[in-house]
Amino acid sequence: MTPLTADAIARRLTTVRYGRSLDVRAETGSTNDDAREAAGAGAADGHVVVADRQSRGRGARGRVWASPGGTDLYFSIVARLPLTPAQLPPLTLAVGLGVARAAEATLPDRSVTVKWPNDVLIEGKKHAGILVESVSLGSRIDSAIIGVGVDVNRADFGELGPIATSWRAETGQTFDRAQALATLLSSIEAEVDRFVRLGPRPVASAVEDRLAFRGRRVRCDALEGELLGLREDGALRLRTSGGERAVTSGSLRLA
């Protein structure tokens, strides 16, 4: 297996900006924390921090993201975006779409879906998660920190086996992580650029085509109903006993 080194990654990149400035670490607490620090020190748009292992990896709502070494990808991107804080929420869906497209290209015979708002599933099992954090200066975003964890070569998920998977678990193949990262960065860059250029509508439409749990009864925090799809702004549409409702944040699960 090709080591996860800056040189190995750089040779495989096809991006314009993402990963062209690169910090590769054997171990860190959290790549999001490292990327935030780098952003504060003036890191360029597209600067990427990637670690072989994280000791304090985290997902949405403070959940722990298990980050063992030698198998998977944990990386964070510094994104300098011309957006206001109010325009930022659909960015998570744009990143999820980028991850989903990369998985679809790598595993073309598998079903890949996006679980609103920040997970990507293969055959209904979680294989990637996204955490977007931001630093604001007044009415504008100074930087968005895009954190991504992708299970690439993990073979044993322990008690999470019934609900988690990886590219290797699905195919039996071991993947070159440097190439996997290059593929992911290219796909994410394309979707983020499209979101910035065209707004959330194309993102919401593409995510809706591969939206997990669509047509099923779900619960999002205290609200329960049938998942109808997405609004043009990326909000979740639920048909509840009190009529259709739009949900802009929350933790989604099957009812």
Side-chain angles (χ1 to χ4, degrees), residues 30-43:
S30 162
T31 60
N32 258 34
D33 291 344
D34 296 337
R36 179 185 289 269
E37 183 177 344

Side-chain angles (χ1 to χ4, degrees), residues 39-251:
D45 178 40
H47 176 72
V48 170
V49 180
V50 57
D52 183 65
R53 179 179 181 274
Q54 292 183 122
S55 59
R56 298 190 304 276
R58 63 181 183 274
R61 298 195 164 196
R63 296 186 181 96
V64 173
W65 182 274
S67 310
T71 58
D72 303 323
L73 286 171
Y74 324 109
F75 61 97
S76 297
I77 305 163
V78 176
R80 308 284 188 179
L81 305 173
L83 301 174
T84 66
Q87 294 173 310
L88 193 64
L91 176 63
T92 299
L93 288 177
V95 176
L97 179 59
V99 174
R101 289 195 191 278
E104 289 167 350
T106 306
L107 290 76
D109 59 342
R110 295 295 193 274
S111 169
V112 180
T113 55
V114 177
K115 176 177 172 285
W116 184 94
N118 64 312
D119 291 336
V120 180
L121 314 181
I122 298 177
E123 298 293 340
K125 295 183 176 183
K126 181 173 178 175
H127 100 287
I130 296 116
L131 176 64
V132 174
E133 301 174 320
S134 63
V135 178
S136 299
L137 288 179
S139 61
R140 68 178 181 87
I141 298 293
D142 176 70
S143 59
I145 308 302
I146 301 170
V148 183
V150 181
D151 293 329
V152 178
N153 288 321
R154 201 180 315 193
D156 183 7
F157 290 89
E159 62 182 18
L160 296 178
I163 61 172
T165 193
S166 67
W167 293 4
R168 179 182 175 185
E170 292 295 323
T171 65
Q173 303 174 29
T174 298
F175 290 84
D176 178 338
R177 285 187 297 161
Q179 181 59 60
L181 179 59
T183 299
L184 285 157
L185 289 175
S186 178
S187 188
I188 292 168
E189 182 182 70
E191 294 303 332
V192 171
D193 285 354
R194 182 168 71 149
F195 165 59
V196 171
R197 188 173 69 254
L198 300 177
R201 181 184 295 181
V203 173
S205 176
V207 170
E208 190 167 50
D209 289 341
R210 45 181 64 75
L211 185 63
F213 307 154
R214 188 176 181 185
R216 302 182 68 179
R217 191 159 190 84
V218 298
R219 176 175 288 274
C220 191
D221 295 344
L223 196 62
E224 185 172 322
E226 179 189 354
L227 199 166
L228 299 175
L230 298 178
R231 293 196 320 191
E232 291 183 351
D233 62 358
L236 202 66
R237 296 172 52 226
L238 293 183
R239 179 185 289 126
T240 73
S241 58
E244 185 172 323
R245 296 280 298 275
V247 180
T248 57
S249 65
S251 180

